[in-house]
Every structure is written in structure tokens, then in C-alpha cells.
Amino acid sequence: MTTTLRHADRIATSRGARRIRNVVASVLIGLGTLVVLVPLFLIFWYLLSRGLGAIDLDFFTRSPAPPGEAGGGLLNAIVGTFMLLIIASLIGVTIGIGGGIFLAEFPRHRLVPLVRLVSDVLSGIPAIVLGLVAYGLIVVTTRQFSAWAGGVALGLLMIPIVVRTTEEVLKLVPTSVREAGLSLGLPQWRVTLSIVLPAATSGIVTGVMLAVARVAGEAAPLLFTALGNNLLNLDPSKPVSALPLSIYVFATSAYPEQQRLAIAGALVLILIIFVASLVARVATRRR
Amino acid sequence: MNPILRARQVNIYYGDKRAVRDIDLDIAPNTVNALIGPSGCGKTTFLRALNRMHDLTPGARVEGTITLDGEDIYGDVDPVSIRRRIGMVFQKPNPFPTMTVLDNVVAGLKLAGIRDRGTLLEVAERSLRQAALWDEVKDRLNTPATGLSGGQQQRLCIARALSVEPEILLMDEPTSALDPQSTARIEDLMSDLKKDVTIIIVTHNMHQAARVSDTTSFFLIGDLVEHGPTDQIFTNPRDERTESYVTGRFG
Amino acid sequence: MRETTPSVRPRHAAGASSRGDGLFRGVILALALAIVVVFVLALYQLVAGSLPSIERYGFAFLFRTTWNNVTSEFGALPFIIGTLVTSFAALLIAVPLAIASAVFVTEYAPRWLAEPVGYLVELLAAIPSVIYGLWALFVLKPLVVQLGTWIFYQPWIVQNPSLKWLVPSNLAGLGLLTAILILAIMVIPYTASVARDVIRLVPQDQREAMYALGATKWEVIRSAILPFARAGIFGGVILSLGRALGETLAVTMVIGNDPKIVSGLFNPTATMSSIIASEFNEAVNNLQRSSLIEIGLLLFVISVIVNYVARLVIARITVGGTS
């Protein structure tokens, strides 16, 4: 068996090179992972080291000082963010949960493929494009930049996220539970509303929180809808600011005082988002 | 004849749980050796210790010594070189789905750095003939391996294992996922193969063990109860537990 | 039970329950259709808003290189190129790193390490674009300036005509390279998490078959795991591409927003989304606003296609299993 000898020789000679290649690959994979994580730590470190000192009582209780002056806070943006998120949730949660129930509870309906396709496709549309849509729908019609317009833009962004999590959570409720309800003689709407939905509540709440956390950081769709407002405003038909919007405007401004406010705002925003997603994550795990 | 593989006081643990206890076993070269016993008896666990597959299972630990031609396979050696000398065929056919029939057979050679197309084709033909598959696939060597039937896929996996010319071939219930016809073909194959390679086969089919093997080892709850020539184990077992198993009273 | 049975029965008469079912079904169907309506309305809005620009330029809009709001001449080519160049360059950096991290989490890390590393990679996806932009502006940009300065002082580059394109026309740090780097960091988690999921789907016996042939760990990864998972990983890459194409603020903050076709790694340019973000509110006339909306329409169409393809690929993997 001459071939045997030839293999054996070559296999023996290549073994050292293969072992080296194996070690090199392991090192590169480890290094690659490190490179992926380094920006995360750098960003956190930067925000903590530069932003923590700028967060004081004023930050939460006052609106920005005029350019060039010291002091002031982001009260206007914090209030604006909450206002926008409430309006967005009215749209995103209502339509999103409805769509999720439709996909999960009427799986044989002939419109299911269409609704699922549109919802999936909607989730990939850039936020700024949805901002243009809300601009056309609300700002052009009412001739006014407003919290309504910004909320609609964020609400459009929420819909597909809520649809998907609602559908996934409802599908986790075993069919036997539905059959048990139906066999008691309950009509389907009763089974869905009183048995299936309550069983899935915590999962749906988690999904909604994740969606809120996701859109809370969006500034692009607000640029030409909510527009921004350096004064505290509680009227949803007027322009409002939002944390990400203020961060964008102040980070790109020339005044160090405003840049400081942007960094502090970024720290607060990132903490809100991480806490929200952490709570959501823990809530799903405990279930 | 000197044993090619020798196990002494082998214990295998999953975490704190001991799955296999104090196994002593000698395997003679160019024989077919069956490991039998009811499910969960440790026969597959023991088999996987023989080519260091437990290295891949977190929490699994092997104690004792296993020597291949006198060399301790858990000693100061590369598990990679051990696995090249001790090949394996698995319970379910597992060809690489993204590769052609030919690429599957020569996958081991390519790993070893052999690129010469002539050599690869030569070895592929020899391995496929050994696995009694050549005539069925010689015209479709460049089609995806997943296009073969289940029985053909399993013989392809046997050819793949044979291509690197292992000294020992481990087979973990190789026919359990196959139809009776494919099973018969693979059983026929084993007696032809043993002139080139020593076979250790795990099976829970006693008739298969009786048909194909020279020696049989009976495992029960982690213990090697009895080991001996297959004729003796099936006709004149020394241990009454072996007797009740081979006569079908339990298991 | 004994007492409630008689009082419950009438309400469960067929008529009443089916009326409730009909109402419920109607409401749910209406909400589900609202999603479709929203989509159609969005498309309508974008098309309607683009009409002045479409009427003025037609298809030529896509190939016109001038964008000048003084002479009111508009064309989308510089931004289409900017978006394609930044996105693909970012993917070139991001994909190998994302796959490395997915392989690390699934094949190398012990469980106590795999879970936190996986979680940290996902945190990258939760950071808002504007915060990436802020960090890029304050931290990454100065580093790019340093790099540019260093290159600028290498005579073998500056005096070599074929490497001339590397030499920055100005060194503010706002430009293509900074945008590519921040974009790469941002899209890593999308490929990484899909890659991790599909690598977990690779059956254990595929790994073992390769090990049993005497493969090293790296050879198992390269010859068994990655080929098995490649279609799914490709789906993740397309998902990342979708994100990169539409990513707005982080890019807007560091790319310089110069409406010219990109001329060098250190030079400012603009992408489709960054030009919308930076010019929409300051649009000088209806034609400019309409041109920006048409760019938005283009982004809409591109993302619909890219995401549809990505989902098709990923769905085929998770449902169909192999290949």
C-alpha cells in the first residue's frame, strides 16, 4: 500500500503547521470578540467620566440656559420624551397588540401572510423615513410641528416590534388552554380576552417595554416632526424636545456648556434604556 | 496475539455521576467486537472514551488508562492524532450537507493537507469500494451528499472514516436509523472490513451482535459484566445476568 | 356551579356569542389591517411628496451628481454612492468581527463567560444612534485626525501619485473614515446575534464527525460549522446591511454632510439618510424638500427589498434545517 505511506508522511509533516494554525485562529477569535466589546466599554467609560459630574438637581428641574450661559438642565427634553412616548404607545401598542392577536389567534385567516409580511417589512424601514411620513401626514396637514407628529413617527416605529413579541408570546400559550376554554362553551373572543391574553400578559408587557426602550433613543424621526423646543412645553400640538433630540442638537453645538449637557443627557438616556431592557429581560426569565 | 487496544480500570464521570465503572477490556487486532446491553448501560459512553470524544463534553471526565499499540491515549498526546487513528461512525448518518459526495469522502485527507487531485480520487474510490458504495455513487461524485438515501449516507460516512486509514473504527449503533436492507448491507461489510481495520461496534440489537462480531462485551448499569468470544456469550454465558439478557428476559 | 348554571346559559345562546365573536374579530381585523393601511399610506406620502422632484428630473435624478441649493439643482448620485460605500465598507469590517464573536460565544467560551459576552454584544444594539454619534464626534473623530496627520507626514504616501487619494483635503476628522468606523461598530450585533443563533443550530454530530476525522478545533469550525451555518450567517449579514443603509444620526454627526461624491477616505461626503437629516429643515424651496423626500422614498424601497431578502434567507434556515 504505497498510498498509505504517502499519506502517513504528509499527515505527520502537516501536523505542526495545523496545530499552529489552530492556536492562531483561537487567538484571533478571542481578539475579535474583544475588539467587538471594547467600544461598549469605551462609550460607557466616556459617558460616566464626563457625564456623571454634570448630572445635578438642575439637570432634572430646569430647561437649558441660553447658549453661552452656564447652568440649566434638560427638564424640557425629559418631559418631551415622556409625552412623545405616551402618544407613540397609544398608536404602537393598540395596533401592535391587535396585529399580534390577529397573527396568533386567527392563523388560518387569508390575510395573515400579508399582515405578517407588511409588519416584517415595516420593521426594516429606516426611522428617518418614518419621520418623513409623519411629516407628510401631520406636519403638512396641520401646518405645525408638534408632539403629535413626533409621537406618530415613533408609534409607527413601535408597531412591528409590538406585533412580533405579542405574536410570539401568544403562541407560547398552549393550544390545550384554548381548547379547555372553548370546551366550556365560551365563545372565542371570551377565550382570547379572558384566558389567553391574561396568560400572556407579562410577556406582552415585556414586549411593549422593549419597544418603548427602542424608540426612546430615536432622534432621527423627530427632527422634522417634534422639531425640538428649548422651553418646557406641555401642549402636544406644539413642538417639544426629547432627550435624544437635545443630545443631537447640543452635541453638535459649538458651546462647551451645551456639549456638557449633551453628554449628561446621553448618560441618563442610556441608563433609562438599559434599566428598561434589563427589567424586561428579568421579567421574562422569571415567568 | 497482542491486543491493539487495552483498557484498564476505566471510570467515566459526568460531573459527580459515575457512568462507567472499572472497565478492563482487551481488543485484538482485525476483529469485530460488539458492546451490548440495555440503554443507559454505559456502552456508548465507553465507546466515546476510546477516541477522546468526551473531551468535547463539558463536565465529562475519564480516569484509568487506555492504550493504543501500547501508547496511552490520555497521556501526553494530541487528541487530534488519536482521533485520526481511531475513526468513528455515528448513530445517525451525518454527512456534511454542504459538501459533495467526493468532498465528504476526502474531507479527512484535505484536513491533512493532501490536495493532489489524483491521490484524492484514488483514495476516494478505494474507500467507497471498501464501504460497498462505489458502484452506486461513481457517477454522482460531484452531487450533494444529502441527495443519497439514508443507507447510502451511512455507508458514505463509513467511507469517510476509512479514507484516513484508521487502525480502529468505532461504530455507535450505526444501523439504528436504517431500514433492514441497508442494515444487512452494512453488516455484510463489517466482515470484509476487518482485514484492514479493527471494529468496535455498539449495538442494542443482540442478533446483530451475534451475526457480525468475534467478541462480545455485555454492559449493565456502568459495569462490564462479561466479555468473551461471541459464540460463548450467546450459547454459554458464565454470568446469569448475561444469560437473562441474551435470552431476552430483560432489556 | 349549581346556582350559576341556569343564569349563564341564556347568555351563551348561539346568537349572542357569535355576535361577540363577530365584533371581536372585526376589531382585531381592523387593527391588523391598520398595519397594512399605515404601510400604504407611508408609501403614498413619500410618492406624493416626491412628485415635484420626479416631474422635474425623472429617472435622471438617480444619476445626477449636482446638489446645489443656490442654483436649485438636485441629484441623488453622491448620496447613493455615499450610502453604498459607507455601508459595504462597514460590513467589511463588521462581519469578520461579528462572526468571531459568535464563534467565541458558541464554541470557545465556557458557559459562565458565554452568557455575559452574548448579553454585552446585544447591549451594543440597544445603544441609541445619537449616543454612538456623540461618542464618535468627541472620541473617534480626534483619533481619526491623528491617524490622518500621521499619514499626511509619510513622504512615501504623499509623494506617491497612486496613493494620493489617501491624502486628506482637510483634516477636520469629519468624513468617510469616521463614518465607516462608527457604522461598523453599530451593525456588528445584528450579524453577531443571527450568526450565534444559527451556529447553535448546527447539530452536534456534524462537529463530532469532523473531530472523528482528526480535525483540530479550528478545522471543525472552518470545515463543518461555518459551511453548515453559512446561509443563516448570510441572512444576518443582509440584516446588518439593512441597518447600515438606513442608519442616520451617528453618520450625520461625523460624515461632514458635504453633498459631493466621495473623494477620499478622510474627506467629507454625505449619505442618503444624512442629507435628509441635515438639510430637510433648512430646505430653501419646495424642489429641495421634494428631492429629499424622493431620497427617502429610495431608502424606503431599498430597505423593503433588503429586509425581505434577509427574512427569506433566515426563515428558510430556521424552518428548512440544512443548507
Side-chain angles (χ1 to χ4, degrees):
Chain A
M1 287 196 109
T2 49
T3 46
T4 309
L5 282 174
R6 283 215 310 267
H7 299 173
D9 284 353
R10 287 197 223 183
I11 287 167
T13 51
S14 70
R15 197 172 299 150
R18 289 171 60 193
R19 203 178 299 170
I20 291 169
R21 223 174 298 153
N22 188 41
V23 172
V24 169
S26 310
V27 170
L28 286 181
I29 286 167
L31 278 180
T33 309
L34 213 58
V35 170
V36 168
L37 294 181
V38 159
L40 184 71
F41 293 117
L42 288 181
I43 290 172
F44 257 89
W45 171 244
Y46 183 77
L47 293 183
L48 281 174
S49 62
R50 298 295 179 87
L52 210 52
I55 298 178
D56 50 20
L57 194 62
D58 275 2
F59 180 86
F60 296 102
T61 56
R62 298 182 57 185
S63 290
E69 283 178 32
L74 287 179
L75 176 66
N76 63 329
I78 295 170
V79 171
T81 284
F82 277 103
M83 195 190 292
L84 290 167
L85 289 180
I86 290 169
I87 297 170
S89 300
L90 288 179
I91 299 164
V93 173
T94 317
I95 298 182
I97 292 185
I101 292 177
F102 178 72
L103 294 181
E105 302 295 313
F106 301 96
R108 278 185 304 277
H109 198 286
R110 67 199 157 84
L111 290 176
V112 160
L114 176 71
V115 171
R116 181 172 291 124
L117 176 70
V118 169
S119 169
D120 278 355
V121 159
L122 204 57
S123 73
I125 292 172
I128 189 153
V129 176
L130 295 179
L132 286 177
V133 170
Y135 171 85
L137 281 175
I138 314 284
V139 178
V140 171
T141 326
T142 62
R143 300 173 170 279
Q144 173 75 52
F145 294 104
S146 62
W148 293 122
V152 167
L154 296 184
L156 298 182
L157 211 52
M158 275 179 78
I159 291 174
I161 311 175
V162 178
V163 167
R164 173 164 312 168
T165 46
T166 304
E167 184 193 358
E168 278 172 7
V169 169
L170 287 178
K171 283 199 165 152
L172 289 180
V173 178
T175 321
S176 58
V177 170
R178 293 185 180 84
E179 286 168 352
L182 290 172
S183 71
L184 288 176
L186 294 176
Q188 192 190 355
W189 65 278
R190 266 311 213 173
V191 173
T192 305
L193 287 183
S194 325
I195 299 179
V196 179
L197 271 185
T201 305
S202 68
I204 294 175
V205 170
T206 302
V208 169
M209 282 189 63
L210 285 176
V212 169
R214 161 89 168 72
V215 303
E218 282 291 347
L222 302 179
L223 287 171
F224 22 84
T225 52
L227 191 67
N229 189 340
N230 268 350
L231 304 172
L232 181 63
N233 167 39
L234 297 172
D235 180 357
S237 60
K238 296 263 163 57
V240 292
S241 190
L243 269 176
L245 201 53
S246 296
I247 295 167
Y248 172 61
V249 173
F250 289 163
T252 49
S253 111
Y255 298 98
E257 194 54 41
Q258 294 195 329
Q259 293 183 358
R260 204 184 61 110
L261 218 48
I263 296 170
L267 183 59
V268 170
L269 178 63
I270 214 170
L271 289 179
I272 292 176
I273 288 170
F274 282 0
V275 168
S277 42
L278 207 65
V279 168
R281 198 170 252 260
V282 171
T284 25
R285 193 166 299 171
R286 288 259 305 277
R287 224 153 26 94
Chain B
M1 199 157 15
N2 277 332
I4 181 167
L5 191 83
R6 169 177 294 207
R8 284 294 174 270
Q9 291 296 302
V10 171
N11 285 281
I12 304 169
Y13 300 82
Y14 291 118
D16 296 334
K17 191 173 150 280
R18 182 153 69 164
V20 164
R21 244 191 309 267
D22 297 336
I23 306 291
D24 290 328
L25 186 65
D26 286 348
I27 300 290
N30 302 99
T31 54
V32 176
N33 304 270
L35 312 182
I36 62 168
S39 350
C41 66
K43 54 193 192 299
T44 294
T45 302
F46 178 69
L47 187 81
R48 292 166 62 89
L50 299 180
N51 67 342
R52 297 193 60 168
M53 272 298 169
H54 288 304
D55 291 17
L56 313 175
T57 322
R61 188 159 46 91
V62 180
E63 284 177 0
T65 53
I66 300 171
T67 56
L68 172 65
D69 280 334
E71 184 187 6
D72 185 357
I73 69 167
Y74 283 89
D76 185 24
V77 290
D78 187 355
V80 168
S81 63
I82 294 299
R83 294 193 196 110
R84 219 201 57 69
R85 294 170 65 190
I86 306 182
M88 189 160 189
V89 175
F90 298 81
Q91 218 168 3
K92 276 187 300 183
N94 56 356
F96 301 124
T98 57
M99 296 184 192
T100 63
V101 172
L102 179 66
D103 285 339
N104 260 282
V105 180
V106 299
L109 297 178
K110 281 191 170 170
L111 289 179
I114 295 169
R115 291 275 175 271
D116 175 55
R117 189 145 176 93
T119 312
L120 292 177
L121 279 171
E122 186 186 330
V123 175
E125 177 172 350
R126 193 199 64 216
S127 309
L128 285 167
R129 281 190 192 283
Q130 279 182 299
L133 189 60
W134 174 252
D135 291 332
E136 290 163 59
V137 300
K138 63 183 177 199
D139 299 322
R140 48 201 284 206
L141 289 176
N142 292 314
T143 61
T146 43
L148 302 181
S149 72
Q152 289 173 326
Q153 288 188 12
Q154 191 64 308
R155 276 178 284 147
L156 178 66
C157 293
I158 293 173
R160 183 176 68 188
L162 292 172
S163 70
V164 291
E165 292 167 30
E167 292 154 59
I168 297 179
L169 185 62
L170 309 177
M171 302 177 104
D172 183 5
E173 301 189 21
T175 60
S176 65
L178 302 183
D179 60 274
Q181 262 181 322
S182 307
T183 302
R185 295 205 64 158
I186 288 177
E187 286 179 5
D188 289 345
L189 200 60
M190 280 187 246
S191 52
D192 298 337
L193 284 178
K194 70 179 176 185
K195 65 179 191 300
D196 299 317
V197 60
T198 307
I199 294 176
I200 305 175
I201 174 173
V202 163
T203 175
H204 57 204
N205 176 345
M206 276 178 295
H207 304 294
Q208 182 168 66
R211 281 192 299 266
V212 302
S213 69
D214 302 306
T215 77
T216 295
S217 310
F218 172 58
F219 282 71
L220 190 63
I221 338 174
D223 286 315
L224 174 53
V225 174
E226 189 168 354
H227 168 75
T230 299
D231 288 347
Q232 178 242 308
I233 294 283
F234 280 92
T235 56
N236 187 19
R238 292 198 190 93
D239 194 293
E240 61 184 65
R241 290 170 293 173
T242 313
E243 184 179 2
S244 44
Y245 183 73
V246 298
T247 53
R249 252 173 274 159
F250 74 87
Chain C
M1 223 20 174
R2 269 160 296 154
E3 286 183 346
T4 50
T5 309
S7 67
V8 162
R9 187 173 287 151
R11 271 195 278 144
H12 278 218
S17 73
S18 69
R19 213 177 304 141
D21 262 0
L23 181 68
F24 176 66
R25 192 181 276 264
V27 170
I28 293 298
L29 188 61
L31 288 171
L33 285 179
I35 301 170
V36 181
V37 171
V38 159
F39 183 82
V40 173
L41 210 59
L43 192 58
Y44 169 78
Q45 277 295 335
L46 293 171
V47 172
S50 311
L51 275 182
S53 151
I54 293 175
E55 276 163 11
R56 175 86 162 71
Y57 299 113
F59 263 112
F61 183 69
L62 305 182
F63 308 105
R64 290 172 55 89
T65 56
T66 326
W67 182 275
N68 188 329
N69 40 23
V70 178
T71 59
S72 238
E73 289 280 312
F74 302 107
L77 193 63
F79 317 120
I80 295 174
I81 291 176
T83 291
L84 292 179
V85 169
T86 49
S87 297
F88 281 98
L91 282 186
L92 221 54
I93 300 171
V95 168
L97 292 172
I99 293 175
S101 78
V103 168
F104 179 80
V105 166
T106 51
E107 305 296 320
Y108 282 90
R111 196 170 296 172
W112 62 266
L113 187 60
E115 201 172 325
V117 169
Y119 179 64
L120 288 176
V121 172
E122 274 175 23
L123 272 192
L124 276 171
I127 297 178
S129 176
V130 69
I131 293 182
Y132 278 110
L134 178 143
W135 180 76
L137 196 58
F138 293 152
V139 179
L140 202 53
K141 187 188 82 170
L143 292 176
V144 170
V145 171
Q146 274 181 18
L147 177 72
T149 316
W150 180 78
I151 290 174
F152 197 67
Y153 284 110
Q154 302 297 315
W156 62 273
I157 292 179
V158 179
Q159 286 155 22
N160 186 336
S162 62
L163 292 175
K164 196 97 175 143
W165 58 275
L166 266 174
V167 179
S169 57
N170 81 5
L171 250 184
L174 295 177
L176 189 64
L177 181 60
T178 321
I180 289 170
L181 291 177
I182 196 66
L183 209 46
I185 295 171
M186 294 177 72
V187 299
I188 282 173
Y190 299 98
T191 301
S193 73
V194 174
R196 199 183 50 199
D197 291 349
V198 294
I199 289 176
R200 287 215 173 111
L201 286 179
V202 176
Q204 189 61 18
D205 66 5
Q206 288 285 317
R207 294 181 177 84
E208 290 180 348
M210 201 49 100
Y211 274 119
L213 290 173
T216 62
K217 182 160 200 154
W218 164 241
E219 287 162 350
V220 171
I221 292 167
R222 198 199 57 189
S223 311
I225 296 175
L226 292 182
F228 195 96
R230 68 184 173 195
I233 294 174
F234 182 63
V237 172
I238 299 182
L239 210 60
S240 281
L241 176 65
R243 290 285 155 186
L245 292 171
E247 191 44 64
T248 308
L249 274 188
V251 174
T252 308
M253 289 165 85
V254 296
I255 202 167
N257 299 308
D258 187 6
K260 293 197 193 87
I261 291 180
V262 59
S263 53
L265 211 45
F266 291 89
N267 294 346
T269 178
T271 66
M272 295 163 78
S273 55
S274 88
I275 203 69
I276 301 173
S278 62
E279 292 201 354
F280 195 80
N281 279 345
E282 281 87 44
V284 291
N285 57 32
N286 211 25
L287 184 60
Q288 186 181 3
R289 196 170 295 119
S290 171
S291 301
L292 289 167
I293 295 177
E294 190 177 350
I295 292 174
L297 176 65
L298 279 174
L299 264 181
F300 181 97
V301 173
I302 293 172
S303 357
V304 167
I305 294 170
V306 167
N307 279 281
Y308 182 67
V309 170
R311 281 182 210 291
L312 220 57
V313 172
I314 293 173
R316 222 183 47 202
I317 306 314
T318 44
V319 176
T322 57
S323 112

